[in-house]
Amino acid sequence: MLKYICIALAVLIGDVVSKAAFPMPRLAQTCTHMVVRRDIVTLSAEEQQRFFRVVREMHRRGWMDGFGSMHDHISHQVHGSDHFFAWHRRFLRHFETLMQEIDPHAVLPYWNWGSYWQNPLADPVLSSAFFGGNGRPGDNCVVDGTEARWGRNYPTKSCLTRKYRYGTGTGSFWPMRAVRDVMKTTKTHAQFRSRIENGAHGIVHLGLGGDFETMWAPVDVLFFLHHAMIDKVWAEWQTHDPLRFQNVDGTDSFRRPVTADSIMPFYGEDVGSTLVTNGPGYCYTYDDLPAPPSVPRNKPKVMISMNTLANATSENFAEAPAQDDTRGLSEDAEQPAAADPQAADPQPAADSQPAEEEQPAEGFFARGHNSGPKFSDGSFAKAHRPNSQFAEGFYVKGRNPDAKFSDEPNDSGHDDAKFADFVPPQPMDHDWLQQSHYDPAEAARMQSLVSNVVAEINAERRQVVAN
């Protein structure tokens, strides 16, 4: 018996030590500088490259493994729980804070997957100009984009992987029209969390597959852009009622009530501290949303626990950032080309032999690879991006594997006989939902909702053609 107690204590201590080794700067108590989070495809080529340089440096330091480990360890408390929105907002801010240690002007952008919901393969974000697409045949390693040939040390030593749900395709995502239908018809935080988590949020994770459909998905930078979009959706829903900036409701994974005074797992901070994005410690807004109202709050509560006692600042593990915006970054490193929204995403050949994976520093985050920590050591302009309107555009011939017939336009417009209906997202796998702490019953209700919305979109598009 003593043997097993010692093993359990070793596991617990190892987990706490791993968290201590990961940079965890405290949030500021005031906002001295407000930033705006923007859609990544609206950034200039220079701004995109700046962001890519920062995240490559984060990977080199082993920090992506740290985020993957943290999320994996805490996932059962923040999924299927009404801590979901608040905890992930805090998690994103943690990521953004470490970005700013490398480049003080760095800002986390978001990925608007609603712009290409009906054909994600056409989304430039999944092209080699941004984050790359599907993993290569055989081992599913990502071999193009800014994360090309990235290695990871958590949960095991491997390459970063994606494995599209349908082999060569992700399937459809949610149109923003369906997301906003949920916004308009949902009154409580608990209902909204459940509907978004089990609908628009989950379908993206499952569609990209590989590491992205696991609880260590934060090893992929794209996780943070996806969740920035989810955070933006929550922020937009909050604008519909001022009380949503002050209160939440629901239950946690232990069926205890969740309120603004509840303490978030791991961070030991109260949920209420996250409710206003431009409040102390968060200090950001979104490009097309109004700034949240000023909400007076008492001093945020912080629970002193093993987690928070272990949370050392990153100065313990890395040099304090210099004033040079690109400290530690190589300007001569190979950079992905500037985004071309019209360019197709070339897939690697099955028999291609890529170079050896770029491995991050091995730290406490690898199961079976614990060699100790080896960490070394802006504001973005808005531009045009096609919005997700009810017509949602027409497919380019050959880009939609789910189309029922050709959708190539003829000289006089769109011939109804060649017009392809959009295909709604397909039901998420029941086993995956359960093992990922989702609610299969809620997912089925959301499947019905999004299918009805896509049917409405198709009917309206056909009416446009008929007229």
Side-chain angles (χ1 to χ4, degrees):
M1 178 62 70
L2 181 61
K3 173 184 177 182
Y4 293 108
I5 292 175
C6 291
I7 291 173
L9 285 173
V11 171
L12 175 62
I13 292 171
D15 186 38
V16 171
V17 169
S18 73
K19 292 169 182 175
F22 183 52
M24 298 203 50
R26 308 267 185 217
L27 294 183
Q29 295 301 306
T30 59
C31 286
T32 58
H33 178 59
M34 196 70 61
V35 301
V36 179
R37 291 183 181 172
R38 295 182 166 88
D39 184 335
I40 189 168
V41 303
T42 69
L43 311 185
S44 69
E46 179 182 353
E47 290 162 344
Q48 290 166 7
Q49 296 308 318
R50 185 174 192 167
F51 175 71
F52 295 148
R53 288 196 298 271
V54 169
V55 297
R56 282 196 293 271
E57 175 64 9
M58 294 177 75
H59 172 262
R60 187 187 70 80
R61 297 184 183 192
W63 292 353
M64 301 311 300
D65 289 332
F67 283 113
S69 173
M70 183 194 305
H71 188 270
D72 191 27
H73 280 87
I74 209 74
S75 62
H76 62 288
Q77 295 186 56
V78 298
H79 287 269
S81 157
D82 290 301
H83 281 295
F84 175 79
F85 280 133
W87 190 90
H88 282 88
R89 179 169 285 178
R90 177 64 177 89
F91 192 55
L92 296 181
R93 186 64 187 118
H94 184 176
F95 181 84
E96 190 171 51
T97 301
L98 292 192
M99 285 177 55
Q100 291 163 351
E101 289 205 356
I102 296 169
D103 180 347
H105 301 289
V107 181
L108 176 64
Y110 62 87
W111 171 28
N112 185 359
W113 31 254
S115 292
Y116 292 86
W117 69 270
Q118 77 280 15
N119 187 20
L121 296 184
D123 194 325
V125 172
L126 297 179
S127 76
S128 57
F130 284 83
F131 291 95
N134 204 5
R136 70 180 174 216
D139 57 11
N140 304 311
C141 294
V142 175
V143 293
D144 64 335
T146 199
E147 297 177 298
R149 301 178 180 85
W150 271 21
R152 59 163 170 77
N153 291 318
Y154 186 89
T156 58
K157 192 166 185 175
S158 178
C159 60
L160 178 69
T161 67
R162 293 196 198 117
K163 184 180 180 181
Y164 284 175
R165 186 181 183 188
Y166 297 109
T168 58
T170 62
S172 303
F173 296 155
W174 270 48
M176 284 307 298
R177 177 165 167 174
V179 174
R180 292 197 167 100
D181 274 7
V182 173
M183 289 185 191
K184 289 184 289 187
T185 59
T186 307
K187 301 303 180 185
T188 72
H189 171 269
Q191 289 176 329
F192 189 66
R193 187 278 308 168
S194 181
R195 292 171 181 178
I196 293 299
E197 182 181 10
N198 291 284
H201 160 261
I203 199 69
V204 176
H205 280 287
L206 187 61
L208 295 188
D211 288 329
F212 216 80
E213 66 175 354
T214 71
M215 285 302 170
W216 59 83
V219 297
D220 189 335
V221 174
L222 195 52
F223 170 96
F224 293 91
L225 280 75
H226 169 43
H227 270 270
M229 180 65 178
I230 295 298
D231 184 68
K232 181 176 181 289
V233 166
W234 180 32
E236 183 172 339
W237 179 78
Q238 288 180 288
T239 65
H240 295 188
D241 183 344
L243 292 178
R244 294 173 184 171
F245 294 104
Q246 302 176 45
N247 299 308
V248 297
D249 64 282
T251 57
D252 66 11
S253 58
F254 301 102
R255 297 301 163 212
R256 299 172 300 197
V258 173
T259 69
D261 291 328
S262 298
I263 300 300
M264 290 184 289
F266 191 90
Y267 288 109
E269 300 162 4
D270 63 281
V271 169
S273 65
T274 73
L275 298 183
V276 181
T277 65
N278 58 352
Y282 290 83
C283 312
Y284 70 90
T285 59
Y286 284 103
D287 50 0
D288 58 357
L289 295 180
S294 176
V295 179
R297 281 184 48 78
N298 296 326
K299 185 177 180 180
K301 296 181 179 180
V302 177
M303 176 177 287
I304 302 301
S305 63
M306 289 191 74
N307 282 339
T308 53
L309 285 172
N311 291 353
T313 63
S314 58
E315 283 79 2
N316 293 46
F317 309 101
E319 295 178 358
Q323 294 304 308
D324 182 358
D325 292 351
T326 56
R327 181 187 65 84
L329 305 182
S330 172
E331 296 290 348
D332 298 325
E334 181 180 352
Q335 309 291 340
D340 178 3
Q342 302 301 321
D345 183 14
Q347 293 298 320
D351 59 353
S352 62
Q353 297 296 323
E356 182 179 355
E357 280 82 10
E358 177 191 338
Q359 291 290 342
E362 287 189 14
F364 285 103
F365 311 116
R367 293 175 181 165
H369 295 278
N370 182 5
S371 57
K374 295 183 180 177
F375 301 125
S376 62
D377 1 302
S379 51
F380 301 133
K382 175 98 173 169
H384 173 71
R385 175 171 185 159
N387 292 320
S388 181
Q389 303 294 340
F390 81 85
E392 303 288 353
F394 296 91
Y395 285 136
V396 177
K397 186 176 182 181
R399 292 305 295 268
N400 176 19
D402 297 318
K404 298 171 184 174
F405 34 75
S406 170
D407 49 359
E408 183 181 36
N410 60 24
D411 293 340
S412 60
H414 293 280
D415 188 336
D416 188 59
K418 297 181 178 181
F419 185 86
D421 279 343
F422 291 152
V423 178
Q426 298 305 295
M428 291 186 281
D429 304 329
H430 187 274
D431 290 346
W432 179 80
L433 288 167
Q434 287 192 315
Q435 73 184 21
S436 302
H437 316 296
Y438 289 82
D439 180 350
E442 185 74 278
R445 289 189 289 270
M446 292 301 95
Q447 178 64 40
S448 177
L449 181 149
V450 72
S451 295
N452 289 337
V453 169
V454 173
E456 292 171 1
I457 291 172
N458 285 329
E460 291 171 0
R461 294 169 69 240
R462 289 187 172 277
Q463 186 63 39
V464 168
V465 171
N467 293 336

